[in-house]
Structures are given as C-alpha cells and as structure tokens.
Amino acid sequence: MAAISSGPGQEEGATPYTTFPSFNNTFFYDVPQEQEEFSPMCHADFFNRYHSNTTSSLTSPVKIDSVQPFLDTWFGEGEAFLDEDVITNFREAHPDLPSAASFQLVHFSDNSAVVCIRGSKSYFDFLVDARLWYAASLFQLVQSAMPFGFSFDALVDFCVSRLSDIEASSMKQVSYYVETTAFVEYLLKSDVYTSVTITGHSLGGGLALITGAQTKTPAIVISAPSAVMGRSAVTPEISLDDIKRYTYAVIPQRDIISHLGGEHMNSANIKCRAGVSDPMACHMEYRSLCELMYTCGNVKRPVYCECVRQFGYPEPTAIDGSGTSFDALCEAL
C-alpha cells in the first residue's frame, strides 16, 4: 500500500489525503464517462498538453520527506523526482530576494520541469497573498452591484491600478510572486530543461498565473483567482495578451476563489459533486483531481482511496481482471 503524506494544514501523524491501495497501480477510470458527464475541457489543447505534469501541484502541500514516494506512485519510479538543490542554488545566487515563498521543482525523466507553488498555509501567507487581490476584488464587488457594471471595465482597471500604486513599494517587498518569477527566469536562463511549466492551487495558483504571464511560461492552475483585473498591480505589469497566451485555469463548480479578480481568459469548468451546504468543499484540490480523473479518464494515473471513500466517486475498474474490490483494499489500509 502507499500512504502519501498529509494535505494542507495537517499536522504530522494526521490522516493523509492521498492513500493508494497498491503500488501496482491496477485501478483506473480508463474510459471517459458518458456524454452528459463528459467535459469539453478533456479535449482542450492546452490542458491535454500539460495534464500529467500539472497534477504535480498536489505535491506542494505534501511534506518534503513524502514527496518522492508520491511522485513514484503517481508517475512511476524513475520518471519524476523532487529537485531541492536547484532551489537552494537559486536562493544562494539571489540573497537580495525575499525567501518566504514556498515552491518546489519536479524534474522529469524527459528533462522537463514543473514549478509547484504552494497556496496559503499560514495566516501570514494569506495576508500577503490577499493583498494582491483585495483591490481587484473590492472593485469587482462594486462593479457587480452596479446596473450595466460591465460598461465600467476601463474605469475599474484604472481604479485598481491607482490603488495598487499607493502600496506598490511595500507590496513588492513581501509579494511572493517576486521570488517565484525570479526563480522561473533562473530556470529558463539555465538551459537545463527542455520545458518549464508552472502550477499551483488556490492563491498559489494565482501566483503561478502571475509568474507565468510575467515570464511567458505556461501556467495551469486549479481553483485560483484570476490575474486579469489585478494585472497592473504587479511589477512588471502583465498584459491581457500574455495572460491569454500562457495561462489556463481549472474552475470547479461553486468555487468562490476561482471567481476573484475577474474572469479567466482561458479556463475549463468542472463539476463539483459536494453538497451545497459546504461552500469550501468545491475548493479542495484533491476533490478536483478526482473529478478530472473520473470525467476525462485518468491516463493510467492511480486512483487514490479518498476519491471513493471521502468524495463519493464510483469505484474504478481493476484492469488486471482480478475482480478485486477497490473499496475493500482501501478498507484494509
């Protein structure tokens, strides 16, 4: 069996979010669901191109000593590894940068790399990240309450820009995107990797969108606030063209965070099968991954027990023909 580390906010010894019934990886949602369940996003060119690597975003909240077993189970042994040395070398080469951002680098056997940016874990993280979106969210709320509010887009952009200018110098000192953008630029200049992709969840995904647009690097995120309305609040500013060209957002149904900061320019909506009584359930990245695997077929990636036991998805099929029950194996863990 494989029990892979804790999710965000969990303490050591707590029940992990991702538990695999077997290292044999014999259970899959092999075939996409019926047409009424099938999402158009399963055919999206941008998403299909980066689907496998962007699931690395789930390693961001996982404890360092458990990341490699997670990667070995998910991608196969020898296919992906956590590269901590490159982050250490980067920070030693850039001692002037703030080093409060939390991110990881997953290096794949084909020499591609994925930068995984963690979302807010502490109260301080939340405050720092929220400062990037509070101006855009404030004016977004005002605009939505006004009749024909969409006609004030240009005015809203101007107001967000001016409000952000007031705090520009102080924000740059603490904004995590400053370091993540510098890190991605460091990777690109190294010429070590055949490709670099950025990913993240929630506010970590928001940082990934900013960094992707600033460095012109593909970024695909789950449940992240948009960078559209706050694009002038970052330094250097990012253009709508770069947001459209380099970023892609997966938006779960009823997820509030995904709608902050304006409408994403490239996005795919997915279902949330959680009850409406829990407003934050649709924001869970592990639930979203279960939905992606179930709806699109999981491309030979193993299904973890929580998809069935916690989130209520149907049992996956055992492709070895043994007739073994997925739920029974999970129950035995």
Side-chain angles (χ1 to χ4, degrees), residues 286-294 304 306-307 311 313:
Y286 298 93
R287 182 187 293 277
S288 295
L289 182 56
C290 291
E291 179 65 28
L292 292 175
M293 290 193 293
Y294 176 69
Y304 48 93
E306 286 70 19
C307 289
F311 302 135
Y313 285 87

Side-chain angles (χ1 to χ4, degrees), residues 231-248:
R231 63 189 183 279
S232 59
V234 298
T235 305
E237 294 185 13
I238 51 182
S239 68
L240 288 176
D241 183 64
D242 285 339
I243 293 174
K244 183 176 182 179
R245 183 173 182 181
Y246 296 105
T247 70
Y248 198 93

Side-chain angles (χ1 to χ4, degrees), residues 258-321:
S258 298
H259 297 283
L260 297 179
E263 186 176 351
H264 291 276
M265 301 195 74
N266 290 308
S267 64
N269 296 314
I270 61 173
K271 286 187 176 182
C272 175
R273 300 167 197 264
V276 296
S277 60
D278 187 352
M280 291 306 293
C282 296
H283 188 64
M284 294 179 64
E285 66 269 45
Y286 298 93
R287 182 187 293 277
S288 295
L289 182 56
C290 291
E291 179 65 28
L292 292 175
M293 290 193 293
Y294 176 69
T295 304
C296 299
N298 57 311
V299 200
K300 295 295 187 286
R301 303 298 181 210
V303 179
Y304 48 93
C305 293
E306 286 70 19
C307 289
V308 175
R309 299 182 61 80
Q310 183 175 347
F311 302 135
Y313 285 87
E315 288 195 34
T317 302
I319 61 173
D320 61 3

Side-chain angles (χ1 to χ4, degrees), residues 3-81:
I4 309 299
S5 194
S6 60
Q10 290 183 302
E11 301 297 329
E12 187 173 356
T15 303
Y17 280 154
T18 47
T19 311
F20 297 93
S22 171
F23 276 123
N24 295 327
N25 302 342
T26 57
F27 292 93
F28 302 97
Y29 294 121
D30 253 351
V31 180
Q33 305 308 303
E34 297 300 325
Q35 188 63 40
E36 60 268 19
E37 298 279 356
F38 197 73
S39 170
M41 63 156 293
C42 299
H43 290 307
D45 291 339
F46 192 108
F47 183 80
N48 281 339
R49 182 179 178 187
Y50 298 106
H51 171 265
S52 295
N53 288 0
T54 51
T55 52
S56 305
S57 65
L58 298 186
T59 69
S60 295
V62 174
K63 291 181 291 186
I64 292 295
D65 60 357
S66 297
V67 169
Q68 195 56 55
F70 181 101
L71 295 175
D72 289 343
T73 302
W74 189 260
F75 295 104
E77 291 190 19
E79 292 300 315
F81 67 92

Side-chain angles (χ1 to χ4, degrees), residues 167-186:
E167 293 191 327
S169 59
S170 61
M171 285 181 64
K172 187 172 181 179
Q173 295 300 317
V174 297
S175 292
Y176 293 166
Y177 77 85
V178 175
E179 185 181 16
T180 57
T181 293
F183 179 63
V184 171
E185 290 176 340
Y186 175 83

